[in-house]
Amino acid sequence: MTIREILKMGDLRLLRQAKPVTKFGTPELQKLIEDMFETMADADGAGLAAPQIGVDLQVVIFGFEKNERYPDAEAIPRTILINPVLKVIGDEVEEAWEGCLSVPGMRGMVPRWAKIRYEGFDQHGNPISREATGFHSRVVQHECDHLGGVLYPMRMSDLRRFGYIDALVPGREFISRDD
Ligand code: NI
């Protein structure tokens, strides 16, 4: 496994439309996923999308157990999601602070659909279909946005609630995690 460089906002490779995976269960796909998990763990992230390491494929990973550092975030199952399709359930929108490993040191208040269904495949081509709410729903929307070249600041409705963690900390709550 290899820790890969995470591209930062401004790099044009983050703005591409990622291509679907056409072959499952290959050593190349397995290596990519292992590298992504190692890179995400090294950066202490909640999720990572392949375009963030410069790989133009529709592959995202996410998930973590509850831990001491992030006591408020619910546990999310460790998931490999390939060629995902998201469907919104209902019309409720929730706002919360969000970060991104490609936008280091910053947080923004981002509106997201409260409830979604996501479908896709694991690395062997087995179908995945789940409903998600709360932080789980938010993380999936954030990671799948990366596959369409969308970074969270593009989803924000109020750029006054966007800034550096150091400056936001006094008196303001945010999710202290890069997704
Ligand atoms: Ni991100």
Side-chain angles (χ1 to χ4, degrees), residues 67-142:
N67 68 39
E68 291 175 11
R69 196 168 162 200
Y70 307 110
D72 297 333
E74 69 199 76
I76 297 175
R78 180 183 147 109
T79 302
I80 297 155
L81 185 62
I82 299 173
N83 300 350
V85 176
L86 268 53
K87 292 171 184 160
V88 178
I89 300 174
D91 57 6
E92 190 186 342
V93 172
E94 291 175 348
E95 287 200 315
W97 291 99
E98 226 169 271
C100 179
L101 296 174
S102 294
V103 192
M106 302 191 81
R107 294 288 184 274
M109 183 64 83
V110 185
R112 297 282 186 189
W113 299 110
K115 187 172 184 183
I116 60 167
R117 168 168 290 280
Y118 61 92
E119 297 176 351
F121 301 91
D122 70 10
Q123 70 272 41
H124 305 296
N126 302 310
I128 294 170
S129 179
R130 288 188 197 142
E131 286 187 8
T133 57
F135 192 57
H136 186 177
S137 172
R138 176 169 298 274
V139 168
V140 174
Q141 289 171 75
H142 176 117

Side-chain angles (χ1 to χ4, degrees), residues 8-115:
K8 289 199 282 252
M9 185 169 67
D11 191 307
L12 294 176
R13 289 172 289 179
L14 288 170
L15 301 179
R16 294 185 295 199
Q17 294 282 336
K19 296 180 175 66
V21 170
T22 55
K23 286 184 181 172
F24 293 87
T26 64
E28 293 78 12
L29 185 59
Q30 190 61 37
K31 172 77 165 67
L32 169 64
I33 288 162
E34 288 174 6
D35 285 358
M36 286 174 67
F37 272 107
E38 181 144 5
T39 302
M40 181 175 82
D42 178 65
D44 211 12
L48 189 73
Q52 290 182 277
I53 58 168
V55 175
D56 191 24
L57 288 173
Q58 293 178 18
V59 179
V60 303
I61 62 168
F62 51 86
F64 57 90
E65 297 297 314
K66 269 193 183 299
N67 68 39
E68 291 175 11
R69 196 168 162 200
Y70 307 110
D72 297 333
E74 69 199 76
I76 297 175
R78 180 183 147 109
T79 302
I80 297 155
L81 185 62
I82 299 173
N83 300 350
V85 176
L86 268 53
K87 292 171 184 160
V88 178
I89 300 174
D91 57 6
E92 190 186 342
V93 172
E94 291 175 348
E95 287 200 315
W97 291 99
E98 226 169 271
C100 179
L101 296 174
S102 294
V103 192
M106 302 191 81
R107 294 288 184 274
M109 183 64 83
V110 185
R112 297 282 186 189
W113 299 110
K115 187 172 184 183

Side-chain angles (χ1 to χ4, degrees), residues 47 52 99-102 142-143 146 151-152 178-179:
Q52 290 182 277
C100 179
L101 296 174
S102 294
H142 176 117
E143 297 310 331
H146 278 295
L151 300 169
Y152 79 80
D178 287 308
D179 298 326

